[in-house]
Amino acid sequence: MVCYYNDPEATAKTLKDGWLYTGDMAMRDEDGFIFLVDRKKDVIITGGENLYPVQIEDYIRGCDKVADVAVIGLPDDRLGEIAAAIIKIKDGYTCTEEEIEEFCKGMPRYKRPRKIIFADVPRNPTGKIEKPLLRKTYGADRLVLEQNQR
């Protein structure tokens, strides 16, 4: 990659000293293997803990009633952000917040979504979740702007 077309500001943020900063975050396990865990702009910081939405989404997808899920951070006065799960239920099924909360008890408490929203999960033509649209829809788009300014 040489540049973003007609966007020198985005190019300057992404290309630095010959390196392409993708915003991907990774972890290395005890054997030295590297795993991509999420995108930096998608990380939710709640009460000082970093939550990786992909991990929460993968867990919730294990629920038999869930067709699709996206997790975003929503503003919270006390914790800074909270995890919100936007969940699409499979056709022919019904599901309550209580059922999702019960299912999520298999995760550590700090990773559990604090808000459950039953709605469609928008995806772009390549199948990627449109998290910027979700953030805008649910009033969380300013969080990414604040994180980018840090």
Side-chain angles (χ1 to χ4, degrees), residues 18-120:
W19 287 92
L20 173 68
Y21 287 78
T22 63
D24 293 321
M25 297 186 67
M27 291 182 2
R28 181 176 292 154
D29 70 9
E30 63 277 353
D31 296 321
F33 290 98
I34 296 173
F35 298 89
L36 294 177
V37 292
D38 218 325
R39 308 257 318 141
K40 183 178 179 182
K41 64 184 174 190
D42 290 341
V43 172
I44 299 165
I45 304 170
T46 183
E49 297 282 352
N50 289 354
L51 303 182
Y52 302 101
V54 168
Q55 293 175 338
I56 301 167
E57 292 162 356
D58 287 345
Y59 185 86
I60 294 173
R61 273 190 201 97
C63 178
D64 292 339
K65 296 181 177 185
V66 172
D68 203 0
V69 60
V71 174
I72 61 170
L74 295 181
D76 183 79
D77 291 337
R78 188 172 67 85
L79 298 171
E81 293 180 81
I82 59 167
I86 295 90
I87 298 173
K88 178 175 174 45
I89 300 301
K90 289 180 181 175
D91 290 340
Y93 287 83
T94 60
C95 190
T96 65
E97 286 184 40
E98 292 77 18
E99 287 176 281
I100 296 297
E101 289 167 356
E102 184 64 30
F103 181 81
C104 289
K105 285 185 178 178
M107 283 190 289
R109 182 183 292 272
Y110 75 96
K111 287 187 178 186
R112 297 177 199 159
R114 296 195 177 234
K115 184 164 181 73
I116 307 294
I117 301 166
F118 293 108
D120 284 336

Side-chain angles (χ1 to χ4, degrees), residues 11-21:
T11 300
K13 288 180 183 176
T14 305
L15 297 175
K16 298 176 187 167
D17 299 321
W19 287 92
L20 173 68
Y21 287 78

Side-chain angles (χ1 to χ4, degrees), residues 117-146:
I117 301 166
F118 293 108
D120 284 336
V121 176
R123 291 184 177 267
N124 68 20
T126 64
K128 185 176 175 184
I129 297 171
E130 293 188 7
K131 291 200 177 178
L133 176 60
L134 288 172
R135 287 189 198 99
K136 186 173 184 178
T137 300
Y138 296 105
D141 48 343
R142 71 171 176 81
L143 290 172
V144 172
L145 292 173
E146 289 172 6

